[in-house]
Amino acid sequence: MRVMVFGAQSHIGFAICEKLLEEGIEVCGIFLDSSSKMRKLLLEERMLLIGRNALFHELTLDHHWRHIEATHVIYCTENSHNQDQLCFEKSVETALETRSHYFYVTPATSKFDENEQYLSSTLATYTLFKLPGLYGPFQPPEENIHQHLKSCVAGQKNTLIIKEPIIFITDAAETIVEIIEKGDYQKAYSLLCEQKDETIESVSVEVKMNAKETESGGYRIMNKTSMEKGLLEQISCIKMYREIYGLDS
């Protein structure tokens, strides 16, 4: 198995690369450049955590990778990036040329209509992964959870109220890779995670889910990581890279 991950620089994209490598699967990560100095530095640190790995190939959209015979192509959307649409189109072209299984990974809130029309008219089959909010180490700095935890590390006292379903980044990546490895693909998976109202005093978070019935077609995953543990891991990441996050300035 050889997997090409387009948008490997994204929060979920990199986590998927890490999980694939853990499974001993060859990965070609297609990275988009970032204009943010902070994001570049954090990506460099993440690459150091992977280290030298013969199974991992770091590429960009400018590289000549058309000769690569991929068995699976994964596209991870990052709508905020100015090359995201080009990345999507290149991923579809690659899947078509290599006759690979194609997977589209996106937040459940993201608009998908235009891309879905392009996919349907270009590829015979594809699989969609719709994700709720993701949290955990290396969460994008602009996200509310990151901002709250960063303020906690800085000693500020406030409370974050979470009202939308969220999934720990590693749990989401593991679920996606497990489904891909099984090979029994549905048209679409909406990843859901059982959550309940709770107060997490260690990180000043109140969870108010007002739990609803599982939506039709939802793929419920186990809570492998408690929310408190996941948030504490995210705080540890912020502390480890506090200089990059601007906490020492």
Side-chain angles (χ1 to χ4, degrees):
M1 181 185 289
R2 179 184 289 125
V3 183
M4 295 190 72
V5 181
F6 286 77
Q9 80 294 332
S10 64
H11 195 207
I12 185 61
F14 203 97
I16 290 173
C17 288
E18 290 175 319
K19 182 57 185 173
L20 289 167
L21 291 172
E22 286 177 13
E23 296 293 306
I25 296 170
E26 186 175 357
V27 179
C28 297
I30 313 298
F31 291 79
L32 302 182
D33 291 331
S34 174
S35 58
S36 165
K37 181 179 179 181
M38 180 187 297
R39 283 175 175 261
K40 286 181 178 179
L41 291 173
L42 289 171
L43 182 57
E44 289 174 5
E45 295 296 334
R46 300 190 76 176
M47 294 299 295
L48 288 174
L49 292 176
I50 288 180
R52 293 185 179 180
N53 190 321
L55 293 175
F56 185 62
H57 311 282
E58 181 185 0
L59 305 168
T60 70
L61 289 179
D62 296 328
H63 276 101
H64 298 289
W65 34 259
R66 292 304 180 93
H67 64 285
I68 298 174
E69 295 183 4
T71 58
H72 299 71
V73 171
I74 303 173
Y75 161 72
C76 301
T77 183
E78 190 172 48
N79 293 329
S80 61
H81 199 288
N82 59 10
Q83 284 192 305
D84 182 65
Q85 187 61 29
L86 177 61
C87 184
F88 163 64
E89 292 171 1
K90 294 289 186 183
S91 70
V92 176
E93 289 174 13
T94 301
L96 185 64
E97 292 174 1
T98 59
R99 299 181 181 180
S100 305
H101 296 291
Y102 186 86
F103 305 88
Y104 187 108
V105 182
T106 183
T109 56
S110 178
K111 292 182 179 179
F112 178 61
D113 295 345
E114 292 183 10
N115 287 349
E116 183 175 29
Q117 186 176 6
Y118 180 67
L119 280 173
S120 299
S121 63
T122 308
L123 299 178
T125 61
Y126 62 89
T127 298
L128 169 66
F129 288 107
K130 295 172 67 177
L131 308 179
L134 301 171
Y135 72 103
F138 298 103
Q139 184 186 41
E142 65 273 10
E143 297 289 342
N144 288 338
I145 292 177
H146 172 83
Q147 291 295 329
H148 170 73
L149 296 180
K150 181 180 173 183
S151 69
C152 288
V153 174
Q156 300 173 23
K157 296 190 183 241
N158 51 55
T159 300
L160 176 67
I161 298 176
I162 297 176
K163 294 184 177 181
E164 301 296 331
I166 58 175
I167 293 179
F168 187 59
I169 184 67
T170 304
D171 292 350
E174 285 184 357
T175 300
I176 290 171
V177 172
E178 285 171 4
I179 291 172
I180 290 174
E181 286 185 309
K182 286 179 181 177
D184 183 19
Y185 311 133
Q186 299 178 14
K187 178 80 171 180
Y189 294 88
S190 293
L191 269 61
L192 304 170
C193 196
E194 289 188 4
Q195 292 172 324
K196 60 184 180 180
D197 292 356
E198 61 178 314
T199 298
I200 307 174
E201 295 182 358
S202 59
V203 288
S204 301
V205 166
E206 289 184 18
V207 182
K208 297 182 178 180
M209 285 292 109
N210 297 320
K212 300 178 181 178
E213 291 295 323
T214 303
E215 66 179 271
S216 176
Y219 186 90
R220 189 170 293 279
I221 69 174
M222 298 296 294
N223 290 348
K224 298 179 182 178
T225 306
S226 71
M227 189 175 294
E228 181 172 23
K229 181 182 178 182
L231 292 170
L232 289 174
E233 283 193 28
Q234 188 166 341
I235 278 186
S236 295
C237 177
I238 293 171
K239 288 180 177 178
M240 183 176 296
Y241 302 107
R242 59 185 303 129
E243 185 176 351
I244 295 176
Y245 285 120
L247 284 165
D248 291 337
S249 57

CSV table of all heavy atoms in Angstrom, one decimal, residues 20-66:
chain,number,residue,atom,x,y,z
A,20,LEU,N,-0.5,6.5,9.5
A,20,LEU,CA,-0.2,5.5,8.5
A,20,LEU,C,1.2,5.0,8.6
A,20,LEU,O,1.5,3.8,8.4
A,20,LEU,CB,-0.3,6.3,7.1
A,20,LEU,CG,-1.7,6.6,6.6
A,20,LEU,CD1,-1.7,7.5,5.5
A,20,LEU,CD2,-2.5,5.3,6.2
A,21,LEU,N,2.2,5.9,9.0
A,21,LEU,CA,3.5,5.5,9.2
A,21,LEU,C,3.7,4.5,10.4
A,21,LEU,O,4.4,3.6,10.3
A,21,LEU,CB,4.4,6.7,9.5
A,21,LEU,CG,4.6,7.7,8.3
A,21,LEU,CD1,5.3,8.9,8.7
A,21,LEU,CD2,5.4,7.0,7.2
A,22,GLU,N,2.9,4.8,11.4
A,22,GLU,CA,2.9,3.8,12.6
A,22,GLU,C,2.4,2.4,12.1
A,22,GLU,O,2.9,1.4,12.7
A,22,GLU,CB,1.9,4.3,13.7
A,22,GLU,CG,2.4,5.5,14.4
A,22,GLU,CD,1.4,6.0,15.5
A,22,GLU,OE1,0.4,5.3,15.7
A,22,GLU,OE2,1.6,7.1,16.0
A,23,GLU,N,1.6,2.4,11.1
A,23,GLU,CA,1.1,1.1,10.6
A,23,GLU,C,2.0,0.5,9.6
A,23,GLU,O,1.7,-0.6,9.0
A,23,GLU,CB,-0.3,1.3,10.0
A,23,GLU,CG,-1.4,1.7,10.9
A,23,GLU,CD,-1.7,0.7,11.9
A,23,GLU,OE1,-2.0,-0.5,11.5
A,23,GLU,OE2,-1.7,1.0,13.2
A,24,GLY,N,3.2,1.1,9.3
A,24,GLY,CA,4.1,0.6,8.4
A,24,GLY,C,3.8,0.8,7.0
A,24,GLY,O,4.2,0.1,6.1
A,25,ILE,N,3.0,1.9,6.7
A,25,ILE,CA,2.5,2.1,5.3
A,25,ILE,C,3.3,3.3,4.7
A,25,ILE,O,3.6,4.3,5.4
A,25,ILE,CB,1.0,2.5,5.4
A,25,ILE,CG1,0.1,1.3,5.9
A,25,ILE,CG2,0.5,2.9,4.0
A,25,ILE,CD1,-1.3,1.6,6.2
A,26,GLU,N,3.7,3.1,3.5
A,26,GLU,CA,4.4,4.1,2.8
A,26,GLU,C,3.5,5.4,2.5
A,26,GLU,O,2.4,5.2,2.0
A,26,GLU,CB,5.0,3.6,1.5
A,26,GLU,CG,5.9,4.6,0.7
A,26,GLU,CD,6.5,4.0,-0.5
A,26,GLU,OE1,6.3,2.8,-0.8
A,26,GLU,OE2,7.3,4.7,-1.2
A,27,VAL,N,4.0,6.5,2.8
A,27,VAL,CA,3.3,7.8,2.7
A,27,VAL,C,4.0,8.8,1.9
A,27,VAL,O,5.2,9.1,2.1
A,27,VAL,CB,3.0,8.4,4.1
A,27,VAL,CG1,2.2,9.7,4.0
A,27,VAL,CG2,2.2,7.4,5.0
A,28,CYS,N,3.3,9.4,0.9
A,28,CYS,CA,3.8,10.6,0.2
A,28,CYS,C,2.9,11.8,0.6
A,28,CYS,O,1.8,11.8,0.3
A,28,CYS,CB,3.7,10.4,-1.3
A,28,CYS,SG,4.7,9.0,-1.9
A,29,GLY,N,3.5,12.6,1.4
A,29,GLY,CA,2.8,13.8,1.9
A,29,GLY,C,2.9,15.0,1.0
A,29,GLY,O,4.1,15.4,0.8
A,30,ILE,N,1.8,15.5,0.5
A,30,ILE,CA,1.9,16.7,-0.3
A,30,ILE,C,1.6,17.9,0.5
A,30,ILE,O,0.5,18.1,1.0
A,30,ILE,CB,0.9,16.6,-1.5
A,30,ILE,CG1,0.9,15.3,-2.2
A,30,ILE,CG2,1.1,17.8,-2.5
A,30,ILE,CD1,2.3,15.0,-2.8
A,31,PHE,N,2.6,18.8,0.8
A,31,PHE,CA,2.5,19.9,1.7
A,31,PHE,C,2.3,21.2,1.0
A,31,PHE,O,2.9,21.4,0.0
A,31,PHE,CB,3.7,20.0,2.6
A,31,PHE,CG,3.9,18.9,3.6
A,31,PHE,CD1,4.4,17.6,3.2
A,31,PHE,CD2,3.6,19.1,4.9
A,31,PHE,CE1,4.5,16.6,4.1
A,31,PHE,CE2,3.7,18.0,5.8
A,31,PHE,CZ,4.2,16.8,5.4
A,32,LEU,N,1.4,22.0,1.5
A,32,LEU,CA,1.2,23.4,1.0
A,32,LEU,C,2.0,24.3,1.8
A,32,LEU,O,2.1,24.2,3.1
A,32,LEU,CB,-0.3,23.8,1.0
A,32,LEU,CG,-1.2,22.9,0.2
A,32,LEU,CD1,-2.7,23.4,0.3
A,32,LEU,CD2,-0.8,22.7,-1.2
A,33,ASP,N,2.7,25.3,1.2
A,33,ASP,CA,3.5,26.3,1.9
A,33,ASP,C,2.5,27.2,2.7
A,33,ASP,O,1.4,27.4,2.4
A,33,ASP,CB,4.3,27.1,1.0
A,33,ASP,CG,5.4,26.3,0.3
A,33,ASP,OD1,5.9,25.4,0.9
A,33,ASP,OD2,5.7,26.7,-0.8
A,34,SER,N,3.1,27.7,3.9
A,34,SER,CA,2.3,28.6,4.7
A,34,SER,C,3.0,29.9,4.8
A,34,SER,O,4.2,30.0,4.8
A,34,SER,CB,2.2,28.0,6.1
A,34,SER,OG,1.6,28.9,7.0
A,35,SER,N,2.2,31.0,4.7
A,35,SER,CA,2.7,32.3,4.8
A,35,SER,C,2.9,32.7,6.3
A,35,SER,O,3.5,33.7,6.6
A,35,SER,CB,1.8,33.3,4.2
A,35,SER,OG,0.5,33.3,4.8
A,36,SER,N,2.5,31.9,7.2
A,36,SER,CA,2.6,32.1,8.7
A,36,SER,C,3.9,31.6,9.2
A,36,SER,O,4.2,30.4,9.1
A,36,SER,CB,1.4,31.5,9.4
A,36,SER,OG,1.7,31.5,10.8
A,37,LYS,N,4.7,32.4,9.8
A,37,LYS,CA,6.0,32.0,10.4
A,37,LYS,C,5.7,31.0,11.5
A,37,LYS,O,6.4,30.0,11.6
A,37,LYS,CB,6.7,33.2,10.9
A,37,LYS,CG,8.1,32.8,11.5
A,37,LYS,CD,8.8,34.0,12.1
A,37,LYS,CE,10.1,33.6,12.7
A,37,LYS,NZ,10.9,34.8,13.2
A,38,MET,N,4.7,31.2,12.3
A,38,MET,CA,4.4,30.3,13.4
A,38,MET,C,4.1,28.9,12.9
A,38,MET,O,4.6,27.9,13.4
A,38,MET,CB,3.2,30.8,14.2
A,38,MET,CG,2.8,29.9,15.4
A,38,MET,SD,1.3,30.4,16.2
A,38,MET,CE,1.8,32.0,16.9
A,39,ARG,N,3.2,28.8,11.8
A,39,ARG,CA,2.8,27.5,11.3
A,39,ARG,C,4.1,26.8,10.7
A,39,ARG,O,4.2,25.6,10.8
A,39,ARG,CB,1.8,27.7,10.2
A,39,ARG,CG,0.4,28.0,10.8
A,39,ARG,CD,-0.6,28.2,9.7
A,39,ARG,NE,-2.0,28.4,10.1
A,39,ARG,CZ,-2.9,27.4,10.1
A,39,ARG,NH1,-2.6,26.2,9.6
A,39,ARG,NH2,-4.1,27.6,10.6
A,40,LYS,N,4.9,27.6,10.0
A,40,LYS,CA,6.1,27.0,9.4
A,40,LYS,C,7.0,26.4,10.5
A,40,LYS,O,7.5,25.2,10.4
A,40,LYS,CB,6.9,28.0,8.7
A,40,LYS,CG,6.3,28.4,7.3
A,40,LYS,CD,7.2,29.4,6.6
A,40,LYS,CE,6.6,29.8,5.2
A,40,LYS,NZ,7.4,30.8,4.5
A,41,LEU,N,7.2,27.1,11.6
A,41,LEU,CA,8.0,26.6,12.7
A,41,LEU,C,7.4,25.4,13.4
A,41,LEU,O,8.1,24.4,13.7
A,41,LEU,CB,8.2,27.7,13.8
A,41,LEU,CG,9.1,28.9,13.3
A,41,LEU,CD1,9.1,30.0,14.4
A,41,LEU,CD2,10.5,28.5,13.1
A,42,LEU,N,6.1,25.4,13.5
A,42,LEU,CA,5.4,24.2,14.2
A,42,LEU,C,5.5,23.0,13.2
A,42,LEU,O,5.7,21.9,13.7
A,42,LEU,CB,4.0,24.6,14.4
A,42,LEU,CG,3.7,25.6,15.6
A,42,LEU,CD1,2.3,26.0,15.6
A,42,LEU,CD2,4.1,24.9,16.9
A,43,LEU,N,5.4,23.2,11.9
A,43,LEU,CA,5.5,22.1,11.0
A,43,LEU,C,6.9,21.5,11.0
A,43,LEU,O,7.1,20.3,11.0
A,43,LEU,CB,5.2,22.6,9.6
A,43,LEU,CG,5.3,21.5,8.5
A,43,LEU,CD1,4.3,20.4,8.8
A,43,LEU,CD2,4.9,22.1,7.1
A,44,GLU,N,7.9,22.4,11.2
A,44,GLU,CA,9.3,21.9,11.3
A,44,GLU,C,9.5,21.0,12.5
A,44,GLU,O,10.2,20.0,12.5
A,44,GLU,CB,10.3,23.1,11.3
A,44,GLU,CG,10.4,23.8,10.0
A,44,GLU,CD,11.3,25.1,10.2
A,44,GLU,OE1,11.9,25.3,11.3
A,44,GLU,OE2,11.4,25.8,9.2
A,45,GLU,N,8.9,21.4,13.6
A,45,GLU,CA,8.9,20.6,14.8
A,45,GLU,C,8.2,19.3,14.7
A,45,GLU,O,8.7,18.3,15.1
A,45,GLU,CB,8.3,21.4,16.0
A,45,GLU,CG,9.0,22.7,16.4
A,45,GLU,CD,10.4,22.4,16.9
A,45,GLU,OE1,10.7,21.3,17.5
A,45,GLU,OE2,11.3,23.3,16.8
A,46,ARG,N,7.1,19.3,14.0
A,46,ARG,CA,6.4,18.0,13.7
A,46,ARG,C,7.2,17.1,12.8
A,46,ARG,O,7.2,15.9,13.0
A,46,ARG,CB,5.0,18.3,13.1
A,46,ARG,CG,4.1,19.2,14.0
A,46,ARG,CD,2.7,19.2,13.5
A,46,ARG,NE,2.0,18.0,13.8
A,46,ARG,CZ,0.7,17.8,13.5
A,46,ARG,NH1,0.0,18.7,12.9
A,46,ARG,NH2,0.2,16.6,13.8
A,47,MET,N,7.9,17.7,11.9
A,47,MET,CA,8.7,16.8,11.0
A,47,MET,C,9.9,16.2,11.8
A,47,MET,O,10.3,15.1,11.5
A,47,MET,CB,9.3,17.7,9.9
A,47,MET,CG,8.2,18.2,8.9
A,47,MET,SD,7.3,16.9,8.0
A,47,MET,CE,8.6,16.2,7.1
A,48,LEU,N,10.4,16.9,12.8
A,48,LEU,CA,11.5,16.4,13.6
A,48,LEU,C,10.9,15.2,14.4
A,48,LEU,O,11.7,14.3,14.7
A,48,LEU,CB,12.0,17.5,14.5
A,48,LEU,CG,12.9,18.6,13.9
A,48,LEU,CD1,13.2,19.6,14.9
A,48,LEU,CD2,14.1,18.0,13.3
A,49,LEU,N,9.7,15.3,14.8
A,49,LEU,CA,9.1,14.2,15.6
A,49,LEU,C,9.0,12.9,14.8
A,49,LEU,O,9.1,11.8,15.3
A,49,LEU,CB,7.7,14.6,16.1
A,49,LEU,CG,7.7,15.7,17.2
A,49,LEU,CD1,6.3,16.0,17.5
A,49,LEU,CD2,8.5,15.2,18.4
A,50,ILE,N,8.8,13.0,13.5
A,50,ILE,CA,8.7,11.9,12.6
A,50,ILE,C,10.2,11.4,12.4
A,50,ILE,O,10.4,10.2,12.4
A,50,ILE,CB,8.1,12.2,11.2
A,50,ILE,CG1,6.6,12.4,11.4
A,50,ILE,CG2,8.4,11.2,10.2
A,50,ILE,CD1,5.9,12.8,10.1
A,51,GLY,N,11.1,12.3,12.2
A,51,GLY,CA,12.5,11.9,12.0
A,51,GLY,C,12.7,11.3,10.7
A,51,GLY,O,11.9,11.4,9.8
A,52,ARG,N,13.9,10.7,10.5
A,52,ARG,CA,14.2,10.0,9.2
A,52,ARG,C,13.4,8.7,9.1
A,52,ARG,O,13.5,7.8,9.9
A,52,ARG,CB,15.7,9.8,9.1
A,52,ARG,CG,16.5,11.0,9.0
A,52,ARG,CD,18.0,10.7,8.8
A,52,ARG,NE,18.8,11.9,8.7
A,52,ARG,CZ,20.1,11.9,8.5
A,52,ARG,NH1,20.7,10.8,8.4
A,52,ARG,NH2,20.7,13.1,8.4
A,53,ASN,N,12.6,8.6,8.1
A,53,ASN,CA,11.8,7.5,7.9
A,53,ASN,C,11.7,7.1,6.4
A,53,ASN,O,11.2,7.9,5.6
A,53,ASN,CB,10.3,7.7,8.5
A,53,ASN,CG,9.5,6.5,8.5
A,53,ASN,OD1,9.6,5.6,7.7
A,53,ASN,ND2,8.7,6.4,9.6
A,54,ALA,N,12.2,6.0,6.1
A,54,ALA,CA,12.3,5.6,4.7
A,54,ALA,C,10.9,5.5,4.0
A,54,ALA,O,10.8,5.5,2.8
A,54,ALA,CB,13.0,4.2,4.5
A,55,LEU,N,9.8,5.3,4.9
A,55,LEU,CA,8.5,5.2,4.3
A,55,LEU,C,7.8,6.5,4.1
A,55,LEU,O,6.7,6.6,3.5
A,55,LEU,CB,7.6,4.4,5.3
A,55,LEU,CG,8.0,2.9,5.5
A,55,LEU,CD1,7.1,2.3,6.6
A,55,LEU,CD2,7.8,2.2,4.2
A,56,PHE,N,8.5,7.6,4.5
A,56,PHE,CA,7.8,9.0,4.4
A,56,PHE,C,8.5,9.8,3.3
A,56,PHE,O,9.8,10.0,3.4
A,56,PHE,CB,7.9,9.6,5.7
A,56,PHE,CG,7.1,11.0,5.8
A,56,PHE,CD1,5.8,11.0,5.5
A,56,PHE,CD2,7.8,12.1,6.0
A,56,PHE,CE1,5.1,12.2,5.5
A,56,PHE,CE2,7.1,13.3,6.1
A,56,PHE,CZ,5.8,13.4,5.8
A,57,HIS,N,7.7,10.4,2.4
A,57,HIS,CA,8.3,11.3,1.4
A,57,HIS,C,7.6,12.6,1.5
A,57,HIS,O,6.4,12.7,1.3
A,57,HIS,CB,8.1,10.6,0.0
A,57,HIS,CG,8.5,9.2,-0.1
A,57,HIS,ND1,9.8,8.8,-0.2
A,57,HIS,CD2,7.8,8.0,0.0
A,57,HIS,CE1,9.9,7.5,-0.2
A,57,HIS,NE2,8.7,7.0,-0.1
A,58,GLU,N,8.3,13.6,1.7
A,58,GLU,CA,7.8,15.0,1.8
A,58,GLU,C,7.8,15.7,0.4
A,58,GLU,O,8.9,15.9,-0.1
A,58,GLU,CB,8.6,15.8,2.8
A,58,GLU,CG,8.1,17.2,3.0
A,58,GLU,CD,9.0,18.0,4.0
A,58,GLU,OE1,10.0,17.5,4.5
A,58,GLU,OE2,8.7,19.2,4.2
A,59,LEU,N,6.7,16.1,-0.1
A,59,LEU,CA,6.6,16.7,-1.4
A,59,LEU,C,5.7,17.9,-1.4
A,59,LEU,O,5.1,18.2,-0.4
A,59,LEU,CB,6.0,15.7,-2.4
A,59,LEU,CG,6.6,14.3,-2.5
A,59,LEU,CD1,5.8,13.3,-3.3
A,59,LEU,CD2,8.0,14.4,-3.2
A,60,THR,N,5.8,18.7,-2.5
A,60,THR,CA,4.9,19.9,-2.6
A,60,THR,C,4.2,19.7,-4.0
A,60,THR,O,4.5,18.8,-4.8
A,60,THR,CB,5.7,21.2,-2.6
A,60,THR,OG1,6.5,21.3,-3.8
A,60,THR,CG2,6.7,21.2,-1.4
A,61,LEU,N,3.3,20.7,-4.2
A,61,LEU,CA,2.6,20.6,-5.5
A,61,LEU,C,3.5,20.8,-6.7
A,61,LEU,O,3.2,20.5,-7.8
A,61,LEU,CB,1.5,21.7,-5.5
A,61,LEU,CG,0.3,21.5,-4.6
A,61,LEU,CD1,-0.7,22.7,-4.7
A,61,LEU,CD2,-0.5,20.2,-5.0
A,62,ASP,N,4.7,21.4,-6.4
A,62,ASP,CA,5.6,21.7,-7.5
A,62,ASP,C,6.5,20.5,-7.9
A,62,ASP,O,7.2,20.5,-8.9
A,62,ASP,CB,6.5,22.9,-7.2
A,62,ASP,CG,5.7,24.2,-7.0
A,62,ASP,OD1,4.7,24.3,-7.7
A,62,ASP,OD2,6.1,25.0,-6.2
A,63,HIS,N,6.5,19.5,-7.0
A,63,HIS,CA,7.4,18.4,-7.3
A,63,HIS,C,6.8,17.5,-8.4
A,63,HIS,O,5.6,17.5,-8.7
A,63,HIS,CB,7.5,17.5,-6.0
A,63,HIS,CG,8.5,18.0,-5.0
A,63,HIS,ND1,8.2,18.7,-3.9
A,63,HIS,CD2,9.9,17.8,-5.1
A,63,HIS,CE1,9.3,18.9,-3.2
A,63,HIS,NE2,10.4,18.4,-3.9
A,64,HIS,N,7.7,16.8,-9.1
A,64,HIS,CA,7.3,15.9,-10.1
A,64,HIS,C,7.0,14.5,-9.5
A,64,HIS,O,7.8,13.6,-9.4
A,64,HIS,CB,8.4,15.7,-11.2
A,64,HIS,CG,8.7,17.0,-11.8
A,64,HIS,ND1,7.9,17.6,-12.7
A,64,HIS,CD2,9.8,17.8,-11.7
A,64,HIS,CE1,8.4,18.8,-13.2
A,64,HIS,NE2,9.6,18.9,-12.6
A,65,TRP,N,5.7,14.4,-9.1
A,65,TRP,CA,5.3,13.1,-8.4
A,65,TRP,C,4.4,12.3,-9.2
A,65,TRP,O,3.8,11.3,-8.7
A,65,TRP,CB,4.7,13.4,-7.0
A,65,TRP,CG,3.9,14.7,-6.9
A,65,TRP,CD1,4.4,15.9,-6.4
A,65,TRP,CD2,2.6,14.9,-7.4
A,65,TRP,NE1,3.4,16.8,-6.5
A,65,TRP,CE2,2.3,16.3,-7.1
A,65,TRP,CE3,1.6,14.1,-8.0
A,65,TRP,CZ2,1.1,16.8,-7.4
A,65,TRP,CZ3,0.4,14.7,-8.3
A,65,TRP,CH2,0.1,16.0,-8.0
A,66,ARG,N,4.2,12.7,-10.5
A,66,ARG,CA,3.2,12.0,-11.3
A,66,ARG,C,3.6,10.5,-11.5
A,66,ARG,O,2.8,9.7,-11.9
A,66,ARG,CB,3.0,12.7,-12.6
A,66,ARG,CG,2.3,14.0,-12.5
A,66,ARG,CD,1.0,13.9,-11.8
A,66,ARG,NE,0.3,15.1,-11.7
A,66,ARG,CZ,-0.6,15.6,-12.5
A,66,ARG,NH1,-0.9,14.9,-13.6
A,66,ARG,NH2,-1.2,16.7,-12.3
